Amino acid sequence: MRRTLIQFYRNSDLYVLFYNKTDGEFYKIPFRKKSSFTSIYLIVVTLIAIGFLFESVYENNHSLFLDLSLVIVAVAIACFFVDKLYKAYYMEEKVRPIYLDNSLFESCANEGLKQSVREIVVLIISLVLAAAAFFTFVIANNPKLLIVGSLGTATFLAFYYMKPLKRRRIIKNCEVKSIRSEVSKWKR
């Protein structure tokens, strides 16, 4: 996914509207087919099984260096998988510019602001959860906390890629430009 595009509005499971800051255009990008509940369930069960297996091996061999190395590896793995997921989630080959009339723009902007607030809350919670889990893992030497920390990191990164703070700034700037253009039309 091009990093110059900033998510503007997400329409449930159909598409996302992106704003390109360089050319001032909106783009509509549809989603790929989502994963099934079964595949997500299998991933969670696999992580739990790995946690139990890792705990029996880790119990006898742990040190501060190993703990910190494992935290770094867990963060790197989370980054890798979130990046792969993000690139595979959108149908980039179906990117197309879209024109938003005033009513659709206002509707998308209002919903986009609400979405960004929820995403910021999730960002904060997942960051705190990941940091607490990694810190507690190093202190308590419980490998399950390493998995919780990496899941928290993956959640944080997934929502970070949505750029909720930039979205809020873009929406506010677009609203100001829209109001200015409406005022200039009235003055004519």
Side-chain angles (χ1 to χ4, degrees), residues 1-110:
M1 178 58 65
R2 289 176 261 164
R3 299 287 182 200
T4 60
L5 297 177
I6 297 169
Q7 192 177 101
F8 187 77
Y9 165 73
R10 175 185 296 274
N11 183 337
S12 64
D13 296 332
L14 299 175
Y15 62 88
V16 174
L17 292 180
F18 284 92
Y19 178 76
N20 190 338
K21 212 170 158 181
T22 56
D23 64 10
E25 298 259 338
F26 289 96
Y27 294 93
K28 181 178 180 179
I29 304 176
F31 296 122
R32 294 195 190 279
K33 185 180 175 190
K34 294 173 112 181
S35 357
S36 67
F37 177 75
T38 307
S39 63
I40 294 171
Y41 179 76
L42 287 174
I43 290 171
V44 171
V45 169
T46 304
L47 284 173
I48 292 170
I50 289 171
F52 281 116
L53 292 173
F54 185 63
E55 189 171 10
S56 63
V57 172
Y58 176 78
E59 207 169 80
N60 299 327
N61 308 317
H62 60 83
S63 66
L64 182 61
F65 177 74
L66 177 63
D67 291 348
L68 294 177
S69 299
L70 288 172
V71 168
I72 292 169
V73 168
V75 169
I77 290 171
C79 290
F80 174 76
F81 279 111
V82 169
D83 195 47
K84 287 286 190 190
L85 174 74
Y86 191 78
K87 288 178 182 176
Y89 196 63
Y90 300 105
M91 289 194 252
E92 288 189 50
E93 65 276 2
K94 295 193 177 186
V95 173
R96 63 184 176 99
I98 187 169
Y99 171 76
L100 301 176
D101 64 4
N102 284 339
S103 63
L104 181 59
F105 171 78
E106 284 182 31
S107 171
C108 290
N110 289 334

Side-chain angles (χ1 to χ4, degrees), residues 119-134:
E119 291 165 5
I120 290 169
V121 168
V122 171
L123 270 172
I124 293 168
I125 290 171
S126 61
L127 180 63
V128 169
L129 175 69
F134 285 139

